[in-house]
């Protein structure tokens, strides 16, 4: 019975977000098309920026709309009066947001590997770094997700978004500068050395850790308000 | 007014305490008998909303027991909320969505949703299904929330200020619907309100709360019977007012208006024995009773 | 059965008294003759839009006065052997007694009381 409540809550959030989610998907696909069809350094840079914007947009927008807005716009008492506890509510928010962001992230990530296809394609040496960027984005997102879910505060959510974006950029610059990474970008061979693999593992651990943290912190709460 | 001894309680709160930095609920006892209407009256900040939220399981009490429809709160709140309809003043629907969206949403969660009844309520409340919530006036919004709750016919209605801020027509419609739910003797209502006229009209029992404490709780007729304003002519013999339940004294010259909270024949005899002349007794409105109770409670706490 | 009671919250008198009066009037006029079945307490409360406890009280008082009879499970009806006239006469006697007592405390004479009565008979 309570499983179906979680489902209805998720469906409700997806329905409310659906127009914007479609726009972000559209933006994302356009950016991939841009990168693939246009040629030149500038084009691919613009394309990648749009690409990241689409992902970040979908993720952040959903976080604000489904969690922060719900509290600010006083929708929370309406939801709380339904047969739910903090647990079902949290589960529904995590699932809805991961679905929205995750679906955009997954498809665009998969699509992005298209750039390596063909003779004109990007050199395969960049594949490990691209993977690090994509998983890094997912990790940064789960940090934002956890902070937003646990605090449900506009202030903290904005802070988390800034932290997530800028923090990730800084981190990626640092990683791109590491010798074991930088020396193979643009090369003809995809090298998955220890550095690359460790970085990916740390990111994945962070993703799992953040989600577990969100659940643990929320499930301990006794007051909805 | 005697209650049937085997009456089941829709709500039973015993010794509820909740401590906040600047406010505290102290040892609150509140019971609502099945099939009855309980009016909950108190000034802003007295603890009405906090109490209602504890009853709904939205806040956990620091101590004390809460049982709603047989469920211990907040542990069994999911089971309880299946049969409770809650509307509060600080509740909003989703701006960007239509009334119909919310109806679908509620319908997907509650088996007891009655589409026909929902349609009737839409008409009665003069609401348009396709209209987006952001275009609704305050009164229409409250009525929409009410419709969403009433259409699933919950056993217990918990309303926090349901008529506050409504124009007379909307208020009338809301009260009407509240009353008609009482046709089913297994359904109960607990509502808080500033509007003592509404409370006086439809409540079976009334509870006053002030500054986190229950000040008085009786059935309505006992309130209206028990509280009187006695008009006395004071004789020069310095026989003070020495009868129980005096809540207020207003004196000017030889005339005094003494407000008592437990008026009965015995009290009348006691008044006569003081030697002062009883000019008359007056019943009081619930509003006057409430104001005097609060004033008295304030005076006592100082 | 037509329940078109006119009740007023701004009327100084208790709601339950108003309800009792409306029932007694209908009996006196003959609209509700002895034996007439009364609506259930709950049904009347809802149609009058007042609380159940108020109607319950009205019915209890009417039963006490002998105007209605209530049986567990069967409901209430106007007393078959009702002598409304003598009941009202009883009420009048009580009011007259009270008036006389008050007049004495206020040191008013019988003549003065009669004068005071005049406006009420216009």
């Amino acid at each position: 019975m309570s499983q179906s409540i979680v489902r209805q809550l998720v469906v409700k959030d997806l329905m409310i977000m659906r127009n914007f989610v479609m726009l972000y998907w559209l933006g994302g696909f356009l950016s991939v098309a841009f990168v693939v069809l246009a040629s030149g350094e500038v084009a691919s840079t613009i394309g990648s920026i749009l690409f990241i914007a689409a992902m970040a947009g979908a993720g952040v927008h959903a976080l604000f709309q489904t969690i922060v807005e719900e509290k600010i716009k006083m929708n929370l008492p309406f939801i709380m009066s339904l047969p739910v506890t903090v647990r079902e509510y949290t589960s529904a928010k995590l699932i809805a947001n991961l679905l929205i962001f995750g679906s955009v992230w997954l498809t665009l990530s998969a699509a992005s590997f298209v750039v390596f296809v063909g003779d004109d394609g990007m050199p395969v040496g960049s594949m490990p770094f691209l993977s690090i960027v994509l998983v890094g984005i997912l990790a940064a997102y789960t940090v934002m997700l956890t902070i937003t879910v646990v605090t449900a505060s506009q202030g903290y959510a904005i802070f988390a978004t800034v932290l997530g974006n800028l923090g990730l950029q800084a981190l990626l610059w640092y990683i791109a500068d590491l010798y074991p990474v930088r020396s193979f970008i643009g090369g003809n061979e995809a090298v998955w050395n220890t550095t690359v693999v460790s970085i990916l593992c740390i990111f994945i651990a962070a993703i799992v850790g953040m989600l577990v943290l969100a659940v643990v912190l929320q499930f301990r709460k006794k007051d909805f308000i | 007014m005697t209650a049937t001894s085997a009456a089941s309680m829709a709500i039973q709160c015993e010794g509820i305490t909740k401590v906040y930095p600047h406010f505290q609920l102290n040892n609150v006892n509140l019971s609502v008998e099945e099939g009855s209407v309980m009016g909950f009256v108190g000034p802003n900040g007295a603890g009405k909303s906090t109490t209602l939220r504890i009853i709904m399981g939205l806040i956990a009490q620091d101590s004390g027991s809460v049982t709603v429809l047989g469920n211990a709160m907040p542990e069994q709140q999911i089971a309880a909320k299946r049969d409770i309809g809650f509307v509060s003043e600080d509740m909003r629907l989703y701006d960007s969505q239509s009334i119909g969206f919310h109806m679908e949403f509620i319908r997907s969660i509650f088996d007891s949703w009655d589409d026909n009844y929902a349609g009737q309520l839409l008409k009665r409340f003069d609401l348009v299904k396709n209209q987006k919530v952001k275009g609704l006036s305050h009164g229409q919004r409250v009525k929409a929330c009410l419709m969403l709750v009433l259409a699933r016919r919950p056993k217990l209605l918990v309303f926090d200020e349901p008529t506050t801020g409504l124009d007379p027509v909307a208020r009338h419609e809301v009260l009407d619907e509240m009353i008609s739910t009482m046709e089913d003797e297994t359904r109960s209502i607990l509502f808080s309100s500033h509007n003592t006229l509404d409370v006086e009209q439809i409540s079976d029992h009334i509870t006053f709360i002030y500054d986190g404490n229950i000040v008085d709780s009786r059935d309505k007729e006992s309130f209206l019977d028990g509280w009187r304003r006695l008009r006395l002519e004071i004789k020069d013999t310095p026989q003070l007012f020495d009868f129980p339940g005096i809540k207020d004294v207003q004196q000017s010259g030889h005339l005094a208006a003494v407000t008592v909270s437990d008026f009965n024949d015995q009290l009348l005899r006691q008044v006569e024995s003081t030697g002062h002349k009883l000019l008359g007794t007056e019943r009081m409105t619930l509003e006057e009773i409430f104001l005097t109770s609060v004033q008295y409670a304030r005076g006592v706490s100082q | 059965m037509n329940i078109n009671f006119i009740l007023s919250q701004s009327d100084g008198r208790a709601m339950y008294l108003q309800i009792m009066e409306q029932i007694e009037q209908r009996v006196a006029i003959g609209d509700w003759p002895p034996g007439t079945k009364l609506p259930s307490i709950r049904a009347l409360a809802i149609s009058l839009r007042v609380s159940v406890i108020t109607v319950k009280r009205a019915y209890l008082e009417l039963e006490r006065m002998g105007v209605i009879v209530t049986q567990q499970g069967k409901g209430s009806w106007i007393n078959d052997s009702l002598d409304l006239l003598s009941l009202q006469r009883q009420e009048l006697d009580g009011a007259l007694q009270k008036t006389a007592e008050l007049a004495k405390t206020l040191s008013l004479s019988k003549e003065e009381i009669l004068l005071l009565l005049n406006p009420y008979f216009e």
Side-chain angles (χ1 to χ4, degrees):
Chain A
M1 196 49 98
S2 51
Q3 266 190 334
S4 98
I5 267 270
V6 171
R7 198 174 121 204
Q8 299 310 332
L9 289 175
V10 171
V11 167
K12 180 254 305 172
D13 278 337
L14 293 181
M15 295 272 280
I16 292 178
M17 281 291 301
R18 70 169 175 265
N19 289 336
F20 281 110
V21 172
M22 292 205 289
L23 284 174
Y24 286 117
W25 272 60
L26 190 66
F29 277 121
L30 282 176
S31 70
V32 172
F34 202 72
V35 168
V36 169
L37 298 172
S39 56
E41 184 98 7
V42 176
S44 42
T45 310
I46 294 176
S48 12
I49 290 174
L50 283 177
F51 174 84
I52 293 183
M55 264 197 275
V60 171
H61 194 145
L63 283 178
F64 274 83
Q65 182 75 47
T66 64
I67 300 174
V68 178
E69 284 267 307
E70 202 154 83
K71 187 158 177 195
I72 293 180
K73 290 273 177 79
M74 304 200 264
N75 301 130
L76 214 44
F78 172 62
I79 298 298
M80 286 160 4
S81 68
L82 304 172
V84 289
T85 61
V86 181
R87 298 185 179 204
E88 282 80 23
Y89 182 77
T90 303
S91 308
K93 289 306 174 196
L94 289 174
I95 293 173
N97 279 284
L98 285 172
L99 276 177
I100 292 174
F101 176 77
S103 61
V104 177
W105 180 85
L106 206 61
T107 27
L108 292 190
S109 298
S112 69
F113 282 93
V114 152
V115 301
F116 298 113
V117 167
D119 300 321
D120 269 344
M122 276 247 254
V124 228
S126 306
M127 217 189 277
F129 184 65
L130 178 62
S131 314
I132 288 176
V133 170
L134 292 171
V135 178
I137 290 176
L138 186 59
Y141 172 75
T142 46
V143 170
M144 297 192 298
L145 175 62
T146 297
I147 293 178
T148 307
V149 165
V150 171
T151 65
S153 131
Q154 188 176 49
Y156 279 106
I158 292 176
F159 170 74
T161 309
V162 171
L163 176 73
N165 278 309
L166 297 182
L168 180 66
Q169 281 192 46
L171 193 58
L172 289 177
W173 272 107
Y174 169 73
I175 292 172
D177 196 50
L178 291 175
Y179 182 73
V181 175
R182 127 172 85 89
S183 41
F184 296 103
I185 295 182
N188 287 319
E189 214 189 307
V191 179
W192 301 90
N193 55 33
T194 351
T195 319
V196 169
V197 174
S198 324
I199 292 173
L200 285 171
C201 286
I202 292 172
F203 278 167
I204 291 173
I207 292 168
V208 172
M210 279 290 124
L211 294 176
V212 168
L213 187 65
V215 167
V216 165
L217 289 177
Q218 282 294 97
F219 279 32
R220 278 167 53 196
K221 285 189 182 164
K222 286 172 100 192
D223 293 349
F224 237 128
I225 314 175
Chain B
M1 307 283 114
T2 51
T4 37
S5 51
S8 49
M9 304 304 257
I11 299 177
Q12 204 154 11
C13 298
E14 270 159 44
I16 303 299
T17 306
K18 179 76 181 176
V19 180
Y20 286 110
H22 303 291
F23 168 78
Q24 138 173 6
L25 267 190
N26 294 312
N27 200 30
V28 164
N29 295 318
L30 182 67
S31 298
V32 179
E33 230 175 85
E34 186 182 272
S36 73
V37 178
M38 166 73 83
F40 199 22
V41 182
N44 286 329
K48 295 193 303 293
S49 296
T50 307
T51 307
L52 292 181
R53 282 171 179 187
I54 290 177
I55 288 171
M56 288 296 295
L58 306 180
I59 306 178
Q61 65 274 26
D62 289 334
S63 66
S65 71
V66 181
T67 312
V68 181
L69 298 175
N71 300 294
M73 304 295 264
E75 299 83 10
Q76 299 171 313
Q77 59 181 283
I78 294 187
K81 288 194 269 191
R82 286 244 144 239
D83 281 316
I84 308 177
F86 179 63
V87 176
S88 72
E89 238 215 325
D90 60 351
M91 192 183 274
R92 297 284 182 277
L93 302 176
Y94 294 104
D95 257 354
S96 58
Q97 307 301 312
S98 67
I99 294 179
F101 172 83
H102 292 85
M103 287 167 74
E104 256 318 297
F105 176 53
I106 297 292
R107 198 219 316 228
S108 71
I109 296 173
F110 292 96
D111 295 328
S112 55
W113 177 266
D114 183 345
D115 231 6
N116 283 329
Y117 185 34
Q120 284 169 20
L121 286 170
L122 278 177
K123 273 210 198 84
R124 209 169 298 170
F125 286 162
D126 201 21
L127 297 169
V128 177
K129 194 169 176 180
N130 297 330
Q131 196 174 0
K132 296 245 188 296
V133 169
K134 64 172 162 249
L136 297 177
S137 68
H138 170 71
Q140 288 173 311
R141 219 184 352 90
V142 172
K143 287 191 286 184
C145 286
L146 231 57
M147 177 269 299
L148 290 172
V149 151
L150 292 172
R152 33 180 266 252
R153 301 189 200 276
K155 278 260 164 284
L156 172 64
L157 297 177
V158 178
F159 291 163
D160 195 352
E161 307 278 348
T163 58
T164 303
L166 297 186
D167 65 80
V169 175
R171 222 186 89 220
H172 187 98
E173 289 168 347
V174 167
L175 276 177
D176 250 357
E177 283 312 317
M178 283 173 72
I179 291 171
S180 50
T181 64
M182 295 314 289
E183 224 162 334
D184 181 345
E185 69 209 4
T186 62
R187 298 174 73 182
S188 327
I189 301 181
L190 166 62
F191 78 107
S192 74
S193 183
H194 286 148
N195 195 321
T196 49
L197 275 179
D198 290 345
V199 174
E200 194 174 332
Q201 185 184 341
I202 72 168
S203 304
D204 293 312
H205 295 262
I206 299 170
T207 300
F208 289 160
I209 187 170
Y210 176 70
D211 199 26
N213 294 293
I214 300 295
V215 168
D216 204 349
S217 185
R218 313 185 201 184
D219 70 77
K220 181 181 68 183
E221 296 295 324
S222 298
F223 259 121
L224 298 175
D225 271 351
W227 282 74
R228 297 295 169 97
R229 206 176 283 123
L230 309 174
R231 298 217 176 266
L232 303 174
E233 188 187 309
I234 310 298
K235 297 302 182 195
D236 283 322
T237 54
Q239 264 269 31
L240 291 169
F241 305 124
D242 191 22
F243 34 96
I246 295 184
K247 291 299 196 298
D248 186 49
V249 178
Q250 303 284 339
Q251 193 168 346
S252 89
H254 280 115
L255 291 174
V258 178
T259 305
V260 293
S261 60
D262 296 291
F263 182 75
N264 51 32
D265 286 330
Q266 194 188 19
L267 187 80
L268 211 51
R269 285 193 284 271
Q270 275 177 302
V271 170
E272 279 160 14
S273 72
T274 61
H276 302 302
K277 190 161 151 197
L278 181 67
L279 298 173
T281 71
E282 291 162 10
R283 285 170 74 96
M284 298 164 69
T285 63
L286 193 68
E287 175 116 339
E288 293 169 321
I289 296 173
F290 173 61
L291 289 172
T292 311
S293 292
V294 167
Q295 216 180 323
Y296 180 74
R298 260 189 210 148
V300 162
S301 65
Q302 273 157 8
Chain C
M1 163 170 279
N2 209 322
I3 309 175
N4 266 331
F5 287 25
I6 315 288
L7 300 177
S8 165
Q9 264 196 318
S10 49
D11 185 323
R13 288 170 313 143
M15 195 62 89
Y16 80 96
L17 285 173
Q18 293 181 48
I19 295 174
M20 285 171 67
E21 191 183 81
Q22 299 264 322
I23 293 177
E24 285 169 327
Q25 278 175 355
R26 278 161 176 72
V27 175
I29 303 174
D31 276 353
W32 288 9
T36 310
K37 185 109 186 340
L38 291 171
S40 74
I41 292 176
R42 201 162 272 271
L44 185 61
I46 289 171
S47 56
L48 295 180
R49 293 168 64 249
V50 297
S51 58
V52 166
I53 209 172
T54 303
V55 177
K56 209 181 235 173
R57 178 149 192 211
Y59 275 32
L60 274 170
E61 292 290 322
L62 286 171
E63 191 177 11
R64 207 180 44 83
M65 286 168 59
V67 178
I68 71 172
V69 175
T70 306
Q71 238 177 53
Q72 181 76 292
K74 288 210 182 132
S76 309
W77 59 93
I78 306 292
N79 197 344
D80 290 312
S81 47
L82 174 65
D83 186 359
L84 193 65
L85 224 57
S86 67
L87 270 177
Q88 286 175 325
R89 217 25 214 279
Q90 262 179 2
E91 225 184 297
L92 182 62
D93 273 338
L96 288 173
Q97 189 183 15
K98 198 97 200 271
T99 308
E101 276 171 17
L102 280 169
K104 283 183 206 145
T105 32
L106 290 165
S107 309
L108 291 170
S109 69
K110 192 165 41 156
E111 289 69 35
E112 284 168 311
I113 294 297
L114 284 171
L115 276 173
L116 288 171
L117 267 174
N118 279 336
Y120 295 102
F121 278 91
E122 261 139 47

